[in-house]
């Protein structure tokens, strides 16, 4: 029997006057599962992430985290999730330790110093603890972002292009750390990326969005062949250019 979903999205919609950015989307993410949210620019991926985070207000639909309504119980649910993106930089004038300390206060973390020391070790940041974050390389800053994202032991992690612009070695390190966290904590992850090779490596399941709706869903290793495509990148291109033809095969 499958465990109850950590994240449950039902009929989620976001409209701006006459434009519908997200159109009646429903999906779930279960413990220990990494789900890729894929699609071309403007498909609605980041809009969904921002609604889950509470940055954007939904127009209609429901969002639940471990059974708690994410609109009515926003304070509770925000404590149980976290977010990281390559474009979401931490304050560069603060040291790594200072940044982690500030965010630990926001998440009301107990035994703050102990937890900070743990994530510094986990993400190989001990030698940078007293270095201003803005002086670190992009890969080092990504590790700090990931350390921040796991500070509160979230049951839901949201990643928007977490390894964009990073070199292959650093990207693999980030993916390995995320997978280890998911396995150890039985957390759920919602992951957006345009790197289809990375998605194939890290994601257990993918959702392809087109024009605000979920067009395709399945295992990234078998989904392309099911739609006559050689690999996930070829399928992505088809979703971006010919979504109606794919819709007819579902």
């Amino acid at each position: 029997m499958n465990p109850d979903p950590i994240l449950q999205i039902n009929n989620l919609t976001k409209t701006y006057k006459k434009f519908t950015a997200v159109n009646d989307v429903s999906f779930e993410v279960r413990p220990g599962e990494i789900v890729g949210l894929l699609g071309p620019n403007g498909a609605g991926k980041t809009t969904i992430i921002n609604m889950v985070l509470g940055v954007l207000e939904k127009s209609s639909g429901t969002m639940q985290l471990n059974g708690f309504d994410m609109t009515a119980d926003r304070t509770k649910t925000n404590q149980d999730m976290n977010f990281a993106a390559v474009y979401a930089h931490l304050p560069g004038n603060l040291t790594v330790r200072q940044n982690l300390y500030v965010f630990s206060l926001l998440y009301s973390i107990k035994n703050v110093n102990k937890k900070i020391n743990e994530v510094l070790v986990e993400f190989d940041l001990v030698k940078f603890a007293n270095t201003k974050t803005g002086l670190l390389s992009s890969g080092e800053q990504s590790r700090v972002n990931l350390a921040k994202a796991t500070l509160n032991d979230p049951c839901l992690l949201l990643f928007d292009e977490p390894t964009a612009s990073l070199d292959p070695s650093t990207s693999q390190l980030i993916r390995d750390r995320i997978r280890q966290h998911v396995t150890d904590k039985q957390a759920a992850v919602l992951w957006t990326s345009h790197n289809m090779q990375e998605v194939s490596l890290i994601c257990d399941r993918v959702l392809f969005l087109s024009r605000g709706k979920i067009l395709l869903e399945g295992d990234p290793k078998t989904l392309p062949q099911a739609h006559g495509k050689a690999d996930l990148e070829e399928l992505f291109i088809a979703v971006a250019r010919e979504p109606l033809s794919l819709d007819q095969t579902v």
Side-chain angles (χ1 to χ4, degrees):
M1 183 179 295
N2 287 333
D4 292 334
I6 287 177
L7 177 66
Q8 180 80 53
I9 302 291
N10 289 308
N11 309 114
L12 187 64
T13 299
K14 179 63 180 178
T15 58
Y16 299 92
K17 295 183 179 180
K18 295 182 179 180
F19 173 68
T20 301
V22 175
N23 188 357
D24 197 34
V25 164
S26 299
F27 65 91
E28 60 190 29
V29 189
R30 296 185 180 276
E33 186 179 34
I34 300 177
V35 173
L37 199 58
L38 312 179
N41 292 331
K45 307 181 301 295
T46 300
T47 301
I48 291 173
I49 294 284
N50 284 336
M51 284 191 285
V52 172
L53 285 170
V55 176
L56 286 177
E57 184 178 353
K58 61 183 173 62
S59 299
S60 62
T62 61
M63 302 181 293
Q64 291 186 325
L65 185 66
N66 283 332
F68 290 92
D69 186 279
M70 299 182 74
T71 301
D73 298 301
R74 177 56 71 178
T75 300
K76 160 64 180 171
T77 56
N78 274 357
Q79 292 292 316
D80 293 329
M81 62 181 177
N82 214 314
F83 167 79
V86 74
Y87 56 77
H89 301 293
L90 299 180
N93 61 328
L94 297 181
T95 68
V96 170
R97 185 179 292 277
Q98 287 170 338
N99 266 307
L100 295 175
Y101 181 75
V102 168
F103 280 95
S104 69
L105 295 180
L106 292 175
Y107 283 97
S108 302
I109 293 171
K110 298 178 180 178
N111 300 318
V112 171
N113 290 327
K114 179 176 182 292
K115 185 61 180 179
I116 289 174
N117 288 333
E118 286 176 357
V119 298
L120 287 173
V121 171
E122 181 179 358
F123 295 102
D124 194 22
L125 293 166
V126 174
K127 61 185 175 183
F128 302 117
N130 298 314
T131 302
K132 288 188 175 181
T133 305
L135 299 178
L136 301 177
S137 70
S138 58
E140 291 158 356
Q141 289 189 39
S142 291
R143 299 211 310 270
V144 178
N145 276 330
L146 190 54
K148 185 277 296 183
T150 60
L151 262 177
N152 58 323
D153 292 328
C155 63
L156 175 66
L157 277 163
L158 303 161
F159 292 123
D160 195 355
E161 298 279 359
T163 64
S165 78
L166 300 181
D167 65 73
S169 176
T170 304
S171 296
Q172 182 182 26
L173 175 65
I174 296 296
R175 290 194 302 270
D176 289 346
R177 296 293 166 85
I178 291 170
R179 174 57 75 181
Q180 190 63 52
H181 176 84
V182 170
T183 300
D184 292 346
K185 305 295 183 181
Q186 281 300 286
V189 172
L190 194 58
W191 181 298
T192 76
S193 178
H194 286 138
N195 184 336
M196 295 301 100
Q197 181 180 5
E198 176 175 80
V199 168
S200 295
L201 291 171
I202 191 71
C203 292
D204 303 298
R205 185 161 52 93
V206 294
L207 310 171
F208 270 103
L209 287 170
S210 177
R211 300 171 187 173
K213 301 189 74 171
I214 294 177
L215 183 65
L216 303 174
E217 176 180 357
D219 185 326
K221 295 176 178 60
T222 59
L223 190 63
Q225 289 73 29
H227 294 277
K229 307 301 177 185
D231 52 34
L232 206 61
E233 184 167 341
E234 189 175 316
L235 182 60
F236 183 99
I237 292 170
V239 168
R241 297 178 181 175
E242 305 169 359
L244 292 180
S245 64
L246 282 169
D247 194 30
Q248 293 169 0
T249 68
V250 178

